[in-house]
Amino acid sequence: MLHDARGPFSSLVDVTTGLVDRSIYADQSIYELELERIFARAWNFMCHESQIPKAGDFFLSFIGEESVIATRDKKGELQVLLNSCRHRGNAVCRAESGNARSFLCTYHGWTYGLDGSLIGVPGYKDFYHEQLDKSQWGLVKAGKVASYKGFVFATMDPEAPDLEEYLGEVGRMGIDLIAERGDMEIVEGIQKNLIGCNWKLAVDNLFDWYHPQISHASAFMAGAVREPQNLTQQDMMQLQKAQIGGLSPMHQRVILGGYGHAIGGPRIEEEALDIRSKFYDRVDPIFDDRYREDPKVQDVLGGVGVTTAGHPNIFPNLWVALGAHQLSLRLPRGPHQTEIWWFTFTPKDATPDRKAAIVGMANSIFGAAGLLEQDDGENWDQSTRAMRGVVAQRYPLNFAMGTGATPVAVAGGVSYIDTTINEHAQLWTYRAWAEWMDADSWAALKQTHSTAPAADARP
Ligand code: FES
Ligand SMILES: [Fe+2]
């Protein structure tokens, strides 16, 4: 389908029928507008504070395709700076992480302080004749930078709402589900790899509990996840309801929030909360979820959060992957390529066995060597190739599974649907995508974005 790249994008995502136009995965001009209207506007995840604890520590991250330096200045303030010299645009930082006193451009030597200010210009007296106003030529700074429970985000748009307001109940719950597991520290080394797919396919897959039995059949046969040992029939049923490391197609929950945040996947049946402890020594140690028994954690997560075991996505592209305590960024690299980043965390007080189990799973499930990610990447790659076809683009994709079947419930200010496997969260994400793409400013988006659905609605 040919259309004007300036939308309306709502016509490409039919929220009533669940049909999504294939051009949104293939069209170069749509992709370029995503960089402008989604990535340059949204709060993007940068890094964890434990990666940059001291003044001068820095970590290179991305906002869309643009390199940014997340750093801590001399006052201890978090700074996010565009990694592009104001003179000819050269990168001023080339290491992926480290500690620096300043950022020296390797082209002509302009030097920037940790807060981005231009502090050194070779030939300032002799060649510029002191005619350059250095105060106007610092590195471009993010519009806003903030940390939520140690997780650092930045937006390039100063008109964006503050981070906590942006995250709302659902975004905060998504991060709480990892942050409340204990004092988290990063595992050295961020895994990065390229997959030949549109970034949105990698995002919508994180909610997808329909594919594992098929896509990952061989990985499960190969023992990618250790099956619980010596279980009776009754144990099996309890384990399914308790959602420890299993895939239960019948016990699912989706939680829908503002600006496109969503959580989708298994839920823990309330009566099964109490029986979880008896299984922890019989399943893979990474499934140890004991933190949910702590009353302080229960206070933070609320009743819905405590019984949620699905996957949060912080719109647009941050997956909080709870299995191995990971965060994954799906970074856009053109309409047909995505750079996947994996950050792995361990609770500081975890036993060495548990830490080893977390790192082992982080290496063998996702990331460049991950059994599951290779399965997934192959599917997304083939989908992305096919989306380019002129004939293929005459036929939309189907995201209608289970939508409209079960009404929304609301508890503790959170809108959720308890149901079987479904595609609510995926469709919610595409609905938000269209709203972001149709709004030409934050002011417009604040007006037009979908908020969490009301009780009894059928989104
Ligand atoms: S490009 Fe950086 S100093 Fe010239
Ligand atoms: Fe998968």
Side-chain angles (χ1 to χ4, degrees), residues 47-126:
C47 63
H48 189 253
E49 284 198 54
S50 68
Q51 294 176 263
I52 49 170
K54 303 185 303 291
D57 288 346
F58 67 85
F59 178 76
L60 272 200
S61 195
F62 279 93
I63 288 183
E65 291 201 51
E66 294 179 88
S67 171
V68 290
I69 311 164
T71 184
R72 205 178 274 280
D73 67 21
K74 286 187 183 136
K75 293 190 210 130
E77 303 277 324
L78 295 166
Q79 298 280 354
V80 171
L81 311 165
L82 199 63
N83 186 16
S84 176
C85 180
R86 293 291 302 281
H87 181 231
R88 288 290 184 284
N90 184 25
V92 297
C93 180
R94 298 178 183 218
E96 291 182 357
S97 62
N99 183 276
R101 276 178 310 203
S102 58
F103 299 106
L104 166 78
C105 177
T106 53
Y107 200 166
H108 312 91
W110 284 24
T111 304
Y112 301 90
L114 296 170
D115 63 355
S117 50
L118 179 59
I119 54 176
V121 175
Y124 178 67
K125 250 196 184 134
D126 295 339

Side-chain angles (χ1 to χ4, degrees), residues 2 19 40 83 138 145 157 173 222 263 306 310 353:
L2 287 177
L19 303 186
N83 186 16
V145 182
D157 193 333
M173 182 191 289
I263 303 176
V306 166
D353 268 6

Side-chain angles (χ1 to χ4, degrees), residues 48 50 151 178-179 181-186 325 345-348:
H48 189 253
S50 68
F151 296 87
I178 185 164
R181 288 178 181 227
D183 205 358
M184 290 308 221
E185 58 188 4
I186 191 92
H325 305 61
F345 298 88
T346 53
K348 270 187 191 151

Side-chain angles (χ1 to χ4, degrees), residues 441-459:
S441 66
W442 254 112
L445 185 59
K446 283 176 191 171
Q447 291 285 319
T448 55
H449 79 282
S450 290
T451 51
D456 298 324
R458 288 173 192 264

